[in-house]
Amino acid sequence: MKISAIKPYVTKLGVRNQLLLKVETEEGIYGWGESGLSYREKAVLGAIDHYSRFLIGRDPMQCGALWQEMYRSQYFEGGRVLTAAISALDIAFHDIKGKALGVPVYQLLGGRQRELVPAFATASAEPGPDMVEQALLLKAWGWRCIRMIATGQENSDRFEPRESIATTAEWVTRVREAVGHEITLGVEYHHRLSVAEAASFCQKLPRGTLDFIEEPIRDETPGAYEALRRMTEIPFAIGEEFSSKWQFLPYVERDLLQFCRIDICNVGGFTEAMKIAGWCEAHYVDLMPHAPLGAVCTAASVHLAAAVANFAWLECRNSPTEQLGFGDPATYPKQIGMDGAFYRVPDEPGLGVDVNESLLQASSFEYSEPPHLRRDDGSFTNW
């Protein structure tokens, strides 16, 4: 089998762009992939163009060898831009391979270990009475893992950490009181805090309030997470920004993460994700994949979740409290469905998803930029 064409598309769905990629073969079998580096899609398109120059004419069935060639074929290897491109290609290669062999992708990864993939939902309201109401609604609908967002998460121009942690701590405590302790609760901080601020937030909460805190600080310095671990006992859900097994290495080996927020569309696709999953299993860490993109990302994440033993919940952005339009049915006429708070593991060959390519061809690139947040003193802070 030989690759005959690699066709990337960027289209605006919901609140952000999605970078989808179609790999075609001379035999007529094609596969879809997706890149996860949101807001910098032009950079990833450039990397895909570079890779396409030597991938055309190659055998997509050799997923592992092609991964190594893409990663090692430049002096400046790695980095989020390159691995975001590799991710999309690797996912598409696995889609092709599954279709060619007549099996779902999870069969290529060792087989299915679960019938349904549990998901977590986000109470998207800012901390306040509406957040409590949404959490109760999700509990009534059968969701057993609920993520909350911190005050200021949706701000467009300003973010003050100390204001956020004061309000968020108050209302997170109220949510726990309302839903009880049978529900798993977490809060997302989008790496907006310093070590001291994150510790202060955690220390304002009664013991047992949170089951995890997601991305409280930035990830460049593992030692910073070690310092934060000494100041709180709340489990960390981190890793959505990591772009390789090497970036995960210190966090896994030093037991700094308790839930692995791996993003299959950024970390290097199935080839890299399965290696990281094995490390996590050896350290009793469950996967909690980051999946904020389109139906291809969701499908790839479901197959990964189906094939590993150590799995907790998959992110869902289409719940009773959050409808972001990422899985637009006109764009994705075939996609993985849900049973309540669970994704159904598909049986058809490949990923089990298809894309309306004519809609992608009719769309044009639309620049999209996240907020550039400032503090009250005028300095920039993390988005």
Side-chain angles (χ1 to χ4, degrees), residues 1-3 23-32 58-63 91-108 347-352:
M1 185 177 292
K2 292 184 179 180
I3 296 170
V23 176
E24 297 178 345
T25 67
E26 293 178 354
E27 287 74 7
I29 300 174
Y30 62 87
W32 285 98
R58 305 295 292 279
D59 182 1
M61 302 287 278
Q62 306 302 318
C63 304
I91 291 168
F93 296 160
H94 278 79
D95 192 20
I96 290 170
K97 192 170 185 178
K99 291 173 180 175
L101 298 176
V103 298
V105 166
Y106 61 74
Q107 295 288 20
L108 309 176
D347 290 322
E348 58 261 44
L351 289 174

Side-chain angles (χ1 to χ4, degrees), residues 33-37 51 63-68 70-71 78-94 109 239-248 262-276 300 304:
E34 186 167 2
S35 166
L37 193 61
Y51 287 137
C63 304
L66 291 179
W67 193 100
Q68 293 293 335
M70 287 186 287
Y71 193 90
R80 292 188 176 107
V81 173
L82 295 182
T83 59
I86 292 171
S87 298
L89 289 158
D90 184 82
I91 291 168
F93 296 160
H94 278 79
L109 310 176
E240 65 187 54
E241 300 171 78
F242 295 0
S243 59
S244 73
K245 54 182 166 288
W246 293 285
Q247 199 168 0
F248 270 101
I262 190 170
D263 187 326
I264 196 169
C265 294
N266 276 327
V267 81
F270 289 106
T271 297
E272 190 80 337
M274 289 299 291
K275 297 174 183 178
I276 296 162
L304 174 66

Side-chain angles (χ1 to χ4, degrees), residues 73-256:
S73 61
Q74 57 269 315
Y75 181 75
F76 298 102
E77 69 276 355
R80 292 188 176 107
V81 173
L82 295 182
T83 59
I86 292 171
S87 298
L89 289 158
D90 184 82
I91 291 168
F93 296 160
H94 278 79
D95 192 20
I96 290 170
K97 192 170 185 178
K99 291 173 180 175
L101 298 176
V103 298
V105 166
Y106 61 74
Q107 295 288 20
L108 309 176
L109 310 176
R112 180 169 61 189
Q113 300 207 33
R114 52 187 49 83
E115 302 293 328
L116 296 170
V117 171
F120 75 81
T122 301
S124 58
E126 289 252 328
D130 287 346
M131 187 170 78
V132 178
E133 183 179 339
Q134 287 189 357
L136 289 170
L137 173 65
L138 289 168
K139 179 182 178 181
W141 276 69
W143 295 81
R144 289 296 172 260
C145 181
I146 299 170
R147 180 180 69 173
M148 300 165 284
I149 64 171
T151 300
Q153 180 90 333
E154 302 303 323
N155 288 6
S156 59
D157 57 4
R158 175 185 173 276
F159 181 78
E160 273 296 327
R162 291 288 175 177
E163 292 178 9
S164 175
I165 64 179
T167 306
T168 305
E170 175 186 354
W171 285 99
V172 163
T173 303
R174 295 193 188 189
V175 170
R176 173 58 78 192
E177 293 169 351
V179 302
H181 283 278
E182 70 272 22
I183 300 297
T184 300
L185 283 182
V187 65
E188 150 81 297
Y189 245 110
H190 221 249
H191 71 233
R192 291 183 179 177
L193 304 179
S194 68
V195 172
E197 290 158 352
S200 179
F201 170 72
C202 294
Q203 291 161 6
K204 292 180 188 301
L205 302 173
R207 189 174 189 180
T209 300
L210 286 181
D211 297 295
F212 65 88
I213 182 170
E214 181 182 346
E215 309 290 345
I217 62 177
R218 288 170 60 174
D219 66 85
E220 291 95 338
T221 305
Y225 266 103
E226 288 183 317
L228 183 58
R229 167 52 63 228
R230 292 192 292 269
M231 301 178 195
T232 181
E233 60 186 18
I234 298 174
F236 296 149
I238 57 180
E240 65 187 54
E241 300 171 78
F242 295 0
S243 59
S244 73
K245 54 182 166 288
W246 293 285
Q247 199 168 0
F248 270 101
L249 179 66
Y251 287 88
V252 175
E253 292 195 343
R254 299 184 201 174
D255 298 311
L256 296 178

